[in-house]
Amino acid sequence: MSQLPVIVGMGGVNAAGRTSGHQAFRRTVLSALDADTQASTLTGLAAMMRLVNTDGSSPWQDTSGQSLDAEQIVARYQQQVLDHTLIRRIEDPMFGADGIPANRPAQLSIEAPLVFHVRRRQLPEQLPETWQVRELDRRHVEVTVPPGQFDVSLPERRGAQVRTAGQLPSGFEPSSLYRSVHHPRGLSMAIFGASDCLGQSGLDWETLRDRLDPDEIAVYAGNSIGQLDDAGWGGLLKSYASGNRATSKQMPLGYGQMPADFLNAYVLGSVGATGAVQGACATFLYNLRVGIEEIKSGRRRVVMVGTADAPITPEIIEGFRTMGALADDDSLKALDALSLLTDADYQRACRPFARNCGFTIAEASQFVLLMDDGLALETGAQILGSVPGVFTNADGWKRSISAPGIGNYITLGKAVSLARDILGEESLRTRTFLHAHGTSTPKNRTTESHVFHQVATANGITSWPVVAVKAFVGHSQGSAAGDQLVSALGSFAHGWLPGIPTLDVVADDVHAERLQFFAEPLAFEADAAFINAKGFGGNNATGLVLSPSVTERLLVQRHGQAAIDAWKDRREPILEASRNYEAGADRGHFQALYRFGQGVLEGPELSVEADQIGIPGYAQPVSLAVENPFGSLGDAHRDSDHTNDEQ
């Protein structure tokens, strides 16, 4: 019997807040929540943003030390929290009025000798033949350039043409939570996301690891375009042009698989399977697919899956802008018929399935911890849902590498077929919803809605609810489907689907006949969600996620009611540990796990045998037994040789 991959932990961060405790989800349905839940959401975000603090036992305090209660926090900081979460104007100063630092090549015509003084170390390594250099002192020289043509780069400030993004909540800096030394932002976010996932799970990682063969654990994590800020490949690639030295960390830390490497080396200490699958905007689902297939086959029992993307840099934004993919300021103003002297409505920049002009870039880190259902029952792990299938297909022949194609019809069709087999026709038609890729580009609103319409028609679905969470948090590239997945888990827990608040009117070219769009949160008890992703290059993926209640019904069918009752008893301390973690996080106490230099092994310490390898610090050895599905030639080959000798 195939193992059922269940979700036993989730963690991360995006523009809406922290993933654990469904904080980010609650921010997207804030208006639908009761007063107490609204207040706890706002105070938790205020603590995350360092507007208030507490040592855990004393009352809340503002930054001046004044004591506050929850009601006072909400009254004082609510608007600040609302204004500095979700999509908003980019808060990095280089995107402001002074502009982005740049250089412009120029050729000067010098009519008379040009004389200047400069530090010796700032001279080019190879001086032009016509330059005359005179020493002034040990550190300075005088340079004379004769009349003629002189090539220079003139420093300038270029006004940002895109000023909106889905940034992490203001004041939250993941690198400040552990000993980060020149780590790219995406890797700091990965450390936080994985730590948040483990904390939310309520499981003790060391205890869990000790009961398993180390090779029964796997990590599949990455991102869509690597680490391209200055601490990663971004700084490396522009080091010559910028005049800065490349560092020894920029090259290795820039790789796209580095989130998985960081988790293995500094968070989990895992020696099991590892990898990162890049699939553009579908990257999270591509890695999730590998993880669940490993569990379904029985090769792994625990898998951490995730992504961390930090693409809010001038260069990446400019790349997407020149493609015509991003919603730039001028296009947003034209869309709303605003004067060029008026600021665009930055918080409404992303408008899935409405009249729109491009996507809004964002940063996010999302991780889930998967187990096979048998181990989850044995350990008493909480079960947030299950993922029976993720499907990926390419587009075939394409006119443009970035244009959408036909693969998404196949992926969604397969996911719906699996859901129908598990849930039945009635549940499929009335108790499932779509988490759309919903990028807010004119092409996406037409093509993705047509995919939904065709699959709905084929399956007799007449009013399929559509969620497009990018309207709140923007497009976090490879982490986008992770944002969608954890939002779906929030819907299962709270019974609300986030609306599309920027959807004033559905665009005329959207195929909406069988789809249900809504601007405000919708009360909806769901059995399953479809997580849809359409990536550049033809990277299509759709995942089927089952609710906790449906998952429990499957577990009763697979293991019997007695096993489920016993699991619920074992689950109580896990739930208590999870609640304690979330309570601390709501007060701004985060446990970023980062174990640099601990338990390092290099080989001589191992106990190597023919059938297993013992590793100091790991309770169970690694089994070297592998399945051989091809048959053995060893004995037959020896017997054949012996027979030939006798003849």
Side-chain angles (χ1 to χ4, degrees):
M1 182 170 62
S2 179
Q3 309 302 310
L4 176 65
V6 296
I7 302 172
V8 300
M10 63 175 189
V13 62
N14 62 20
R18 194 185 78 244
T19 299
S20 63
H22 301 294
Q23 183 191 70
F25 170 80
R26 287 184 277 126
R27 175 65 181 90
T28 66
V29 294
L30 193 64
S31 62
L33 303 176
D34 61 74
D36 288 345
T37 308
Q38 285 190 32
S40 66
T41 303
L42 293 169
T43 55
L45 284 167
M48 184 179 192
M49 297 164 66
R50 303 305 183 209
L51 301 174
V52 295
N53 57 70
T54 176
D55 63 10
S57 58
S58 63
W60 292 102
Q61 296 177 337
D62 63 15
T63 53
S64 66
Q66 179 184 353
S67 294
L68 301 169
D69 60 25
E71 185 176 344
Q72 290 171 317
I73 293 172
V74 173
R76 181 182 297 187
Y77 296 114
Q78 176 174 351
Q79 196 57 49
Q80 190 169 350
V81 169
L82 297 180
D83 290 344
H84 293 279
T85 53
L86 307 186
I87 290 172
R88 57 198 187 276
R89 181 167 182 152
I90 299 176
E91 293 165 351
D92 188 321
M94 76 167 57
F95 287 87
D98 291 341
I100 299 168
N103 291 303
R104 185 176 294 274
Q107 189 175 70
L108 307 183
S109 295
I110 303 175
E111 298 180 356
L114 174 65
V115 179
F116 59 88
H117 295 174
V118 67
R119 287 180 177 270
R120 185 187 300 274
R121 69 181 184 182
Q122 293 176 330
L123 285 173
E125 289 187 8
Q126 296 184 359
L127 295 174
E129 294 180 358
T130 58
W131 284 20
Q132 300 175 14
V133 179
R134 182 173 67 88
E135 184 176 284
L136 298 176
D137 54 40
R138 291 175 57 192
R139 298 182 178 179
H140 299 85
V141 297
E142 178 185 87
V143 177
T144 301
V145 181
Q149 301 298 319
F150 186 32
D151 293 329
V152 298
S153 291
L154 301 177
E156 66 171 343
R157 294 272 178 171
R158 297 181 185 175
Q161 299 185 60
V162 176
R163 291 187 172 89
T164 183
Q167 305 153 92
L168 302 191
S170 299
F172 177 72
E173 180 49 63
S175 64
S176 68
L177 303 175
Y178 70 101
R179 187 173 171 269
S180 168
V181 183
H182 305 298
H183 286 172
R185 183 171 176 83
L187 298 186
S188 294
M189 290 163 55
I191 292 291
F192 175 80
S195 301
D196 191 45
C197 181
L198 290 177
Q200 188 279 332
S201 75
L203 296 162
D204 180 80
W205 177 253
E206 303 300 328
T207 301
L208 176 62
R209 192 182 70 180
D210 283 351
R211 71 184 296 156
L212 299 173
D213 179 326
D215 202 28
E216 292 180 321
I217 298 170
V219 174
Y220 297 105
N223 49 41
S224 62
I225 47 179
Q227 285 65 242
L228 289 182
D229 55 357
D230 284 350
W233 281 353
L236 176 70
L237 295 176
K238 65 184 180 184
S239 59
Y240 278 1
S242 66
N244 295 318
R245 291 183 179 180
T247 73
S248 62
K249 292 186 175 182
Q250 287 171 323
M251 184 70 227
L253 297 189
Y255 280 103
Q257 88 282 352
M258 197 52 59
D261 296 346
F262 256 51
L263 300 195
N264 292 326
Y266 305 127
V267 179
L268 304 176
S270 175
V271 299
T274 185
V277 184
Q278 289 185 314
C281 310
T283 293
F284 183 93
L285 284 180
Y286 274 49
N287 285 279
L288 183 63
R289 178 179 182 271
V290 177
I292 68 167
E293 292 300 324
E294 290 272 81
I295 287 179
K296 287 163 66 175
S297 69
R299 286 188 296 270
R300 317 294 167 196
R301 305 204 71 187
V302 176
V303 180
M304 182 169 277
V305 169
T307 48
D309 289 78
I312 306 177
T313 73
E315 296 81 8
I316 294 177
I317 288 177
E318 179 63 11
F320 281 122
R321 187 196 67 80
T322 56
M323 287 177 58
L326 279 183
D328 59 45
D329 280 32
D330 288 347
S331 298
L332 285 171
K333 292 174 185 179
L335 197 62
D336 293 336
L338 297 175
S339 163
L340 292 179
L341 300 178
T342 304
D343 278 346
D345 192 347
Y346 295 115
Q347 292 182 315
R348 291 178 52 81
C350 185
R351 307 173 188 185
F353 304 106
R355 290 182 58 250
N356 49 40
C357 59
F359 76 78
T360 300
I361 204 162
E363 56 186 356
S365 172
Q366 300 294 354
F367 285 84
V368 293
L369 188 63
L370 305 173
M371 273 187 190
D372 69 60
D373 53 335
L375 181 61
L377 297 184
E378 292 172 20
T379 58
Q382 60 178 318
I383 295 177
L384 306 173
S386 57
V387 189
V390 175
F391 305 95
T392 63
N393 286 89
D395 281 338
W397 304 109
K398 296 172 72 71
R399 181 176 295 107
S400 163
I401 198 64
S402 62
I406 62 172
N408 197 204
Y409 294 89
I410 303 172
T411 65
L412 181 59
K414 287 181 178 178
V416 168
S417 177
L418 177 59
R420 183 177 61 247
D421 287 347
I422 294 174
L423 302 173
E425 295 279 358
E426 182 63 21
S427 176
L428 169 65
R429 293 173 180 172
T430 62
R431 294 178 63 85
T432 67
F433 66 98
L434 295 159
H435 244 289
H437 191 54
T439 58
S440 184
T441 65
K443 180 65 74 172
N444 171 266
R445 74 188 185 213
T446 302
T447 58
E448 189 173 22
S449 65
H450 189 260
V451 173
F452 294 166
H453 173 79
Q454 291 293 93
V455 175
T457 301
N459 288 276
I461 302 171
T462 58
S463 185
W464 219 352
V466 178
V467 175
V469 75
K470 289 182 180 66
F472 298 96
V473 299
H475 190 348
S476 56
Q477 304 304 295
S479 297
D483 290 334
Q484 295 165 246
L485 173 60
V486 299
S487 177
L489 298 180
S491 291
F492 295 149
H494 287 273
W496 291 98
L497 303 184
I500 307 177
T502 55
L503 182 68
D504 296 326
V505 177
V506 176
D508 293 341
D509 53 2
V510 170
H511 301 269
E513 296 91 326
R514 291 177 176 267
L515 307 179
Q516 183 181 1
F517 295 103
F518 40 96
E520 298 299 323
L522 175 70
F524 191 81
E525 295 298 327
D527 286 342
F530 298 97
I531 311 300
N532 201 52
K534 294 165 67 66
F536 283 136
N539 295 281
N540 304 281
T542 307
L544 171 63
V545 185
L546 304 180
S547 72
S549 61
V550 167
T551 301
E552 186 173 324
R553 284 157 49 196
L554 278 178
L555 295 179
V556 170
Q557 180 177 307
R558 290 165 59 83
H559 300 277
Q561 188 62 52
I564 302 307
D565 292 340
W567 160 66
K568 290 181 177 179
D569 290 338
R570 288 189 288 269
R571 186 180 59 173
E572 286 307 311
I574 304 297
L575 292 176
E576 181 65 20
S578 178
R579 286 190 290 265
N580 289 339
Y581 169 80
E582 291 171 3
D586 276 340
R587 298 179 77 83
H589 301 153
F590 302 112
Q591 302 170 10
L593 304 177
Y594 184 72
R595 302 173 183 175
F596 179 80
Q598 297 184 22
V600 176
L601 302 172
E602 296 184 352
E605 311 90 342
L606 304 182
S607 173
V608 180
E609 301 176 26
D611 59 351
Q612 67 179 35
I613 294 178
I615 306 175
Y618 295 75
Q620 305 294 330
V622 175
S623 171
L624 301 181
V626 294
E627 180 184 357
N628 174 14
F630 308 111
S632 175
L633 296 176
D635 293 339
H637 179 68
R638 286 193 296 271
D639 291 343
S640 175
D641 287 347
H642 184 66
T643 301
N644 290 335
D645 289 343
E646 291 178 346
Q647 292 175 350

